[in-house]
Amino acid sequence: MATGVVTAPASAAAPVWPGPGPAVRLGVAPFAGFALSAALALVTALRAPTGLAVLGLAAFGLLHNVLELRYVAGRFAVVLAGPLLRLLLVLVTGIVLCRLLPPSRAAQTVEILLAYGLLAAACRYGLRGRPRLLAGSAVLLVGAGAASLSFPAYHFVVLAHLHNVVPLLFLAEWSRRLPRGRWAFLALQSGWVLLVPALLLSGLLDGLLSQRPGGWTDRLAAAYTPPALLTPEAGLRFLAVFAFLQTMHYVVWVWFLPRYAPEAAERFDARVPALRGGRAWALGAGAGALLALLFALDYAQGRSLYAALAAYHAYLEFPVLLMLVLGLGAGRSEAGRPPGGPQENAQGAEVKT
């Protein structure tokens, strides 16, 4: 069976969604890896949430940026292409420029408008041929955009946590290739994405939180806590949630998906030969080392620069996920295969790990 990407003809009523990918039979290792990572991340988030958030960002921030962009651009090559990709890159570059400017209400307003422009572009593409749903999505985007513009502080707090939660949707999409054990896999992912943060926010683990307010702890807690809920206790809870989810976010992008979805990297290599093979890892690691040095010299400046560069990977994932949620993945898939069915590799055999 040919494995090349088959794109939709220009006259197609609905866009094409990538097929499930090669079938994978998971052994014990991935389940144990996620469980052990979640346990270690939770313990560290309780004992030292500030250190975990800061050091984790310095060590894996830019590396996971590169690897996540590689996966998304490779896995969803049939979606992120042509005029849509060019439009998204223009909009995200505008967001990057806003983040490089001195912080101001005007810069925040422009970033919010550009962010909703991204979602509007995704809706227009993903709901082509479904005018009622497109009109409904437009109403929802206008309402959500108005709320974000009225309460920008809440917008950016939600955005920070949402970015750490979206791996659940990518993992759910990836799990379509599992011939068995899919529900056990999704239950494990839902546990660390949803249940652990709920447990932390409930206050049941407050007695184990050893961090004390002050300094960078207060600054980070304010950045990741809804303003109306910001108290010393609630701030530590939200900071612990962010540190935990950020760490697990890195586990997904730096360990799991590079290992268990290698075909996405292969497609990216075909699109961007300059970053073929280990060059993407070298770029991420090298840039990360420079960022870590800047963090050591001036953390505030390093954090601002990282926030700007990270806009590319953080914002490009949202149009893809929005199209997935809107049901694009339930339509036609590449090579004429219905989504959800097992795929074969180039030799016609199921891929096993």
Side-chain angles (χ1 to χ4, degrees):
M1 183 188 74
T3 57
V5 175
V6 179
T7 58
S11 60
V16 171
W17 189 256
V24 175
R25 297 184 186 277
L26 289 181
V28 175
F31 290 90
F34 271 114
L36 180 59
S37 298
L40 292 175
L42 177 58
V43 170
T44 310
L46 288 169
R47 305 300 295 174
T50 303
L52 182 60
V54 172
L55 295 179
L57 180 65
F60 298 106
L62 284 180
L63 175 61
H64 103 276
N65 274 219
V66 173
L67 297 180
E68 182 175 342
L69 281 172
R70 182 180 69 165
Y71 176 83
V72 173
R75 173 73 184 127
F76 304 101
V78 294
V79 176
L80 294 176
L84 176 64
L85 177 60
R86 290 192 289 272
L87 175 59
L88 296 180
L89 287 176
V90 168
L91 293 173
V92 177
T93 300
I95 292 174
V96 171
L97 294 177
C98 288
R99 292 188 171 188
L100 289 174
L101 294 173
S104 68
R105 182 64 181 266
Q108 288 184 337
T109 298
V110 174
E111 177 175 343
I112 291 171
L113 291 173
L114 290 172
Y116 280 97
L118 283 167
L119 299 181
C123 289
R124 183 176 181 275
Y125 178 89
L127 294 176
R128 205 161 55 209
R130 295 191 280 178
R132 292 183 180 179
L133 286 177
L134 181 58
S137 67
V139 172
L140 290 176
L141 287 179
V142 169
S148 293
L149 290 170
S150 300
F151 305 98
Y154 289 88
H155 170 88
F156 289 105
V157 168
V158 170
L159 184 65
H161 288 287
L162 186 61
H163 176 63
N164 286 334
V165 170
V166 294
L168 178 60
L169 294 178
F170 280 112
L171 291 170
E173 195 279 332
W174 175 91
S175 71
R176 296 187 300 155
R177 67 186 66 191
L178 294 176
R180 61 173 57 92
R182 185 185 185 196
W183 294 112
F185 178 81
L186 291 177
L188 175 61
Q189 307 311 320
S190 299
W192 67 261
V193 173
L194 302 175
L195 295 183
V196 172
L199 184 62
L200 287 167
L201 293 177
S202 71
L204 294 176
L205 300 181
D206 281 0
L208 300 176
L209 275 169
S210 61
Q211 190 82 44
R212 292 293 176 265
W216 276 107
T217 298
D218 287 349
R219 299 182 191 181
L220 292 177
Y224 303 129
T225 306
L229 302 178
L230 185 57
T231 64
E233 295 78 13
L236 282 178
R237 294 173 192 166
F238 277 97
L239 177 56
V241 167
F242 179 84
F244 170 78
L245 287 178
Q246 176 183 261
T247 303
M248 295 302 297
H249 185 91
Y250 297 154
V251 170
V252 172
W253 293 114
V254 178
W255 168 63
F256 182 78
L257 287 175
R259 179 176 178 82
Y260 292 96
E263 78 288 343
E266 293 169 2
R267 287 189 174 184
F268 178 82
D269 289 348
R271 299 183 75 179
V272 189
L275 293 179
R276 185 183 302 275
R279 296 173 188 172
W281 287 85
L283 173 63
L290 293 176
L291 180 67
L293 178 61
L294 180 57
F295 277 165
L297 297 174
D298 188 335
Y299 178 79
Q301 288 296 324
R303 187 67 182 83
S304 297
L305 178 61
Y306 174 81
L309 296 176
Y312 283 106
H313 91 289
Y315 276 104
L316 282 176
E317 68 189 9
F318 287 119
V320 172
L321 292 174
L322 180 60
M323 286 186 277
L324 175 62
V325 171
L326 288 174
L328 175 54
R332 297 182 306 111
S333 61
E334 62 185 10
R337 288 181 173 269
Q343 273 196 342
E344 298 172 336
N345 63 11
Q347 290 74 40
E350 288 186 343
V351 176
K352 301 179 181 179
T353 58

